[in-house]
Amino acid sequence: MPDLDDRLRNFVDFLGTQPMAPPLTYDDVAPGMSRAELGISSLNILILVNSYIEEKASGKIALRPEWVPLLDDVDGILKVLDEIDACAPAEV
């Protein structure tokens, strides 16, 4: 598993590609911060996770109900992204 800095950077880099995400830098995001502190609504985090699934897993997995409570803070969001990455098909 990548270290925390790499995981945060991956998250922030992905946010930078999404039109509904607030403009955040790596320095703006810290573990323990809430989604609300980042300026991301509950609907937008679901859209962002779905976009991440589309990009990383080609839509081969779906948003899981057990992930929803994890999406309230950065630590939980990173856990969800790690699970998506682990489920994503290996690139050939």
Side-chain angles (χ1 to χ4, degrees), residues 14-15 18-22 35 39-51 71:
F14 176 73
L15 287 177
Q18 301 304 301
M20 83 290 294
R35 169 192 47 73
I40 302 172
S41 71
S42 56
L43 176 59
N44 277 351
I45 195 62
L46 295 174
I47 294 168
L48 288 167
V49 169
N50 196 56
S51 294
L71 298 174

Side-chain angles (χ1 to χ4, degrees), residues 5-45:
D5 283 345
D6 288 341
R7 294 166 62 221
L8 277 172
R9 203 167 299 284
N10 176 55
F11 173 54
V12 173
D13 289 347
F14 176 73
L15 287 177
T17 68
Q18 301 304 301
M20 83 290 294
L24 296 169
T25 67
Y26 178 75
D27 293 331
D28 295 331
V29 180
M33 289 183 75
S34 72
R35 169 192 47 73
E37 288 175 298
L38 296 175
I40 302 172
S41 71
S42 56
L43 176 59
N44 277 351
I45 195 62

Side-chain angles (χ1 to χ4, degrees), residues 30-89:
M33 289 183 75
S34 72
R35 169 192 47 73
E37 288 175 298
L38 296 175
I40 302 172
S41 71
S42 56
L43 176 59
N44 277 351
I45 195 62
L46 295 174
I47 294 168
L48 288 167
V49 169
N50 196 56
S51 294
Y52 192 86
I53 290 169
E54 288 297 319
E55 181 177 308
K56 302 293 182 175
S58 302
K60 295 193 179 358
I61 59 175
L63 182 67
R64 297 178 181 165
E66 62 268 22
W67 290 345
V68 174
L70 297 173
L71 298 174
D72 281 335
D73 61 42
V74 170
D75 298 321
I77 294 167
L78 294 179
K79 286 178 187 173
V80 169
L81 298 184
D82 288 344
E83 284 193 45
I84 294 167
D85 289 341
C87 293

